[in-house]
Amino acid sequence: MRFIVSRRRRLSIHGFLISCALFTGAGLLILTSRSVDPSAGERFPVTTTFREGNAILKAKTEASGNKGCATVEEMGEVFSGGFREGNVDVRRIIQYHFALNGASRVRGLPPEQFCKHGFVIGKASEAGFGNEMGKYPFGDYISYSNVSFTLKEVKHLWRHNGCLTTYGRHLVMKIDDFQKPAQTSVLCCNWREWEQPIIWFQNTTDAVAAQFFLKNVFTEMRNAASDLFGRPEDLQYRPNVFGELMRVLMSPSDNVREAMRWVLGDGVDPDISLHMRMLSNRSLRAAQAALNCIRKAIDNLQLKSRPKVVLVSDTPSLITDVASNISEFAEVVHFDYELFKGNISGKSGAGLDFRHTDWGPAPRWVAFVDFFLAAHAKHAVVSGAHRRVGTTFAQLIAALAAAHQPVGNSSTGASLWFFSSFQTNLLSEGLGNQVGWGHAWNRFAGPLSCHNQSTQCALTPLLPPAWWDGLWQSPTPRDVQRMKAYGIQLSGFGTFDESRLQSFCNSRKNVLRTVQLI
């Protein structure tokens, strides 16, 4: 299933970026619109970014010289301020769009105005839950709000309003493939100038792709991206973009809500959610590290009564082992799908042999119950894993849980915390094994990450960084090589020469890939 939301005839940068942000993490499609100054479409002044880049490089060089490296917990200290300050503006941008360009309004526009509208399409290509919410017919599990279109509806309305027959406007889709560096225009073009009715930013399956616009060579693209995602060097201000979009766009279906009520019993939401990404492994070290992290979260939150902890995992057999230990100091709940006899229990969804490692042995619908159940955490989400910590599923749980919290002026910072739990064997080479681009700690995985760390329980960003501008961020050799294809020559500290990027953009041939739908 593909989802479409309208944009104004001239592409709104903020709207497009919000669309990309959501689809890279959740497989949905959305667009918000906000006008920008047309005169701002100039390439950024290199001297300014040189100064910024030199300041970042100097700070990293001094930190590396003084200390050498940092542990995961030390890296996570920058996120202790929470997400509220950056979230106020993001929520306002999203609300502004849906008031103006939500599908419920655009459907009723006069034909001439409707045919001048543009749309953005998003469809994931990976097969894990976080990447595939919008690809499979998950209508039995997720209820979508009325602010987005399907492609089928857009085609119908295009014909109904006579966009081609009356106004001579074909429904053409422009495709930009992020995973093809030689073809993508994510860094080199001003997308606001594109005229095609539909834009598909293809293969944006994690938190990274949309944030590439933070380094786009056009000022308005960079500024709009910074408004939405925050400045890449200011890791302490990471707005909860994914969570705010999910809060507006989706909710559990009635069948999933029935299962959630069955689990919670007394109706009281959990204080803490623990997600264990184990890939069918039952590592005792991973379980013990997660147990210690939950204790730390309880101590930090100063929860005085016996807290309620919900457990979710792709490896259900692990639940019993972990639950028995946590129950010594907390009330433990989890969804045992084999005991549940509700309306949803007879459904299997996609075949159980499909991407078994991603989804685990349970029926596919169980992941949706687990997701929405864990996203009801009131105070903290903890991510533990056999190999990679802070994957898309855990990120989205934390993001949606945080979006349920009030935003605004508050002296208390965030009222929900996201923790990453690392057992010591995962850190023998620092964070070097956290190789997935969309994983929360990938941008910290280079030489500034200390080797042979003890067990860590680290504060984690709700929005994973896509660049390496933070003090303790550094790229892996693998990512240095990968970025060369995009025209970025990274140093060992993650800085790069913007003038080389401009030369790369000037020399490359723009690829125009379109499909005429009507």
Side-chain angles (χ1 to χ4, degrees):
M1 183 178 294
R2 294 166 176 165
F3 289 84
I4 304 259
V5 172
S6 68
R7 58 177 170 86
R8 291 179 181 176
R9 177 67 182 85
R10 183 167 169 83
L11 177 61
S12 162
I13 303 304
H14 287 91
F16 177 77
L17 292 176
I18 287 181
S19 155
C20 299
L22 186 58
F23 282 100
T24 57
L28 303 175
L29 175 71
I30 197 62
L31 179 69
T32 117
S33 179
R34 178 178 171 185
S35 61
V36 291
D37 181 3
S39 65
E42 303 172 357
R43 300 194 177 203
F44 59 80
V46 175
T47 52
T48 300
T49 54
F50 273 165
R51 288 195 294 270
E52 293 173 352
N54 287 337
I56 293 169
L57 181 60
K58 180 181 178 182
K60 291 190 173 194
T61 303
E62 290 177 353
S64 176
N66 293 334
K67 191 174 182 299
C69 62
T71 65
V72 191
E73 289 183 1
E74 289 170 336
M75 292 172 171
E77 289 174 0
V78 71
F79 307 117
S80 61
F83 58 89
R84 276 181 167 166
E85 183 173 344
N87 227 43
V88 175
D89 287 342
V90 166
R91 183 171 286 191
R92 177 179 53 79
I93 290 171
I94 293 170
Q95 289 173 339
Y96 176 83
H97 161 69
F98 290 126
L100 186 64
N101 283 332
S104 54
R105 176 179 178 272
V106 173
R107 289 185 185 103
L109 289 176
E112 183 178 5
Q113 293 183 34
F114 177 87
C115 296
K116 291 179 179 179
H117 255 70
F119 304 86
V120 174
I121 185 171
K123 185 177 78 71
S125 65
E126 293 290 334
F129 171 89
N131 297 320
E132 289 301 285
M133 283 187 189
K135 181 175 180 182
Y136 289 98
F138 289 154
D140 288 335
Y141 320 129
I142 295 177
S143 296
Y144 297 102
S145 65
N146 67 346
V147 298
S148 62
F149 294 101
T150 63
L151 181 56
K152 180 179 180 180
E153 183 182 8
V154 170
K155 289 180 177 179
H156 167 74
L157 291 172
W158 203 262
R159 295 186 180 99
H160 177 75
N161 285 289
C163 297
L164 177 59
T165 56
T166 303
Y167 301 99
R169 183 159 162 77
H170 287 279
L171 186 61
V172 178
M173 178 169 65
K174 180 177 176 63
I175 303 171
D176 188 279
D177 192 337
F178 176 71
Q179 290 186 3
K180 294 181 179 177
Q183 299 181 20
T184 182
S185 301
V186 65
L187 290 172
C188 294
C189 288
N190 185 349
W191 292 39
R192 188 170 184 255
E193 297 176 351
W194 291 359
E195 298 295 327
Q196 290 79 9
I198 297 179
I199 295 174
W200 180 8
F201 194 20
Q202 190 178 16
N203 288 323
T204 57
T205 55
D206 53 44
V208 169
Q211 293 185 73
F212 260 53
F213 289 107
L214 288 164
K215 302 293 185 178
N216 185 282
V217 295
F218 287 89
T219 303
E220 64 179 313
M221 298 294 293
R222 288 164 55 96
N223 290 345
S226 296
D227 287 348
L228 187 60
F229 300 115
R231 291 167 59 89
E233 66 270 27
D234 294 334
L235 295 182
Q236 65 272 33
Y237 304 115
R238 301 291 291 168
N240 184 22
V241 180
F242 293 83
E244 288 299 317
L245 287 165
M246 286 191 291
R247 183 183 65 86
V248 171
L249 287 164
M250 55 185 281
S251 59
S253 68
D254 290 341
N255 287 339
V256 171
R257 288 185 188 276
E258 178 190 14
M260 292 166 61
R261 287 193 295 267
W262 179 80
V263 176
L264 294 176
D266 58 8
V268 178
D269 286 337
D271 297 290
I272 298 172
S273 293
L274 169 63
H275 173 248
M276 297 294 291
R277 168 78 160 159
M278 299 304 293
L279 303 174
S280 301
N281 188 282
R282 297 179 65 177
S283 166
L284 294 178
R285 284 181 291 190
Q288 186 59 48
L291 183 69
N292 294 338
C293 204
I294 290 176
R295 288 186 182 274
K296 178 178 178 178
I298 291 173
D299 290 342
N300 287 356
L301 294 165
Q302 298 181 345
L303 299 178
K304 302 195 181 297
S305 59
R306 185 176 173 85
K308 178 184 287 188
V309 177
V310 62
L311 304 182
V312 299
S313 177
D314 61 341
T315 307
S317 59
L318 181 77
I319 295 289
T320 304
D321 298 338
V322 176
S324 61
N325 291 320
I326 297 177
S327 61
E328 295 177 4
F329 57 88
E331 177 189 354
V332 180
V333 296
H334 73 280
F335 180 53
D336 190 336
Y337 68 92
E338 293 180 326
L339 298 179
F340 180 64
K341 304 302 180 185
N343 292 332
I344 199 174
S345 58
K347 300 179 182 293
S348 60
L352 293 181
D353 58 340
F354 175 73
R355 289 296 290 259
H356 181 277
T357 355
D358 272 321
W359 290 83
R364 299 297 173 252
W365 58 269
V366 175
F368 292 90
V369 178
D370 281 347
F371 175 79
F372 286 110
L373 183 64
H376 269 251
K378 295 184 292 186
H379 299 298
V381 173
V382 177
S383 171
H386 171 52
R387 286 191 302 170
R388 298 176 186 174
V389 179
T391 52
T392 308
F393 190 84
Q395 291 171 25
L396 295 180
I397 288 173
L400 185 55
H404 291 150
Q405 312 298 322
V407 298
N409 296 325
S410 173
S411 59
T412 60
S415 53
L416 183 130
W417 299 104
F418 185 21
F419 292 93
S420 291
S421 167
F422 286 90
Q423 56 273 28
T424 184
N425 62 297
L426 288 186
L427 299 170
S428 60
E429 299 179 8
L431 290 167
N433 292 321
Q434 304 300 305
V435 295
W437 263 25
H439 297 167
W441 294 101
N442 171 257
R443 271 18 185 184
F444 296 83
L448 295 180
S449 171
C450 292
H451 290 200
N452 301 313
Q453 298 179 38
S454 60
T455 297
Q456 300 284 296
C457 178
L459 289 171
T460 307
L462 295 173
L463 176 63
W467 295 93
W468 294 268
D469 293 342
L471 182 61
W472 291 113
Q473 291 182 283
S474 56
T476 63
R478 174 180 177 177
D479 286 340
V480 171
Q481 288 300 120
R482 188 173 181 183
M483 290 300 295
K484 285 181 181 179
Y486 289 92
I488 301 287
Q489 179 64 57
L490 291 174
S491 70
F493 287 145
T495 57
F496 68 94
D497 185 343
E498 286 88 350
S499 63
R500 289 190 178 182
L501 174 59
Q502 284 195 339
S503 297
F504 171 83
C505 291
N506 291 336
S507 64
R508 71 190 292 273
K509 180 180 179 181
N510 289 329
V511 176
L512 180 63
R513 182 183 170 198
T514 60
V515 175
Q516 183 171 306
L517 303 175
I518 294 179

